Amino acid sequence: MASYAGVAPVYRGSGQVGRVCVNPGGNRRLNHVLHLAVLTRIRLNQRGFRDYFLRKRQEGKTPREALRLLNTYLAREVYRVLKAQVKA
């Protein structure tokens, strides 16, 4: 699900330089919805999203990297909910 939404981490590197980026492909509409949901959860501090965001910033991550981590987390959370509804 995270890969389909375009929020799964992808390693990109050459030689000794390497970094983790988001998948440039994927469903851009779903990616946008997840991004808006993460921004709203950060603003409202729902389930500690703001705390997690600030903690990652203090660890040295850029705001973009911290948002990527939260987008991936939210995509996995949505997937678990959808999977549970299919089983029921």
Side-chain angles (χ1 to χ4, degrees), residues 20-36:
V20 177
C21 303
V22 293
N23 185 351
N27 187 328
R28 303 318 297 164
R29 283 185 174 179
L30 181 56
N31 185 300
H32 182 68
V33 169
L34 289 173
H35 181 73
L36 290 178

Side-chain angles (χ1 to χ4, degrees), residues 40-56:
T40 302
R41 282 184 159 195
I42 289 173
R43 185 169 42 93
L44 300 176
N45 198 20
Q46 188 178 15
R47 292 191 184 179
F49 265 58
R50 181 185 299 147
D51 300 335
Y52 182 83
F53 179 78
L54 295 175
R55 188 170 61 245
K56 289 299 173 184

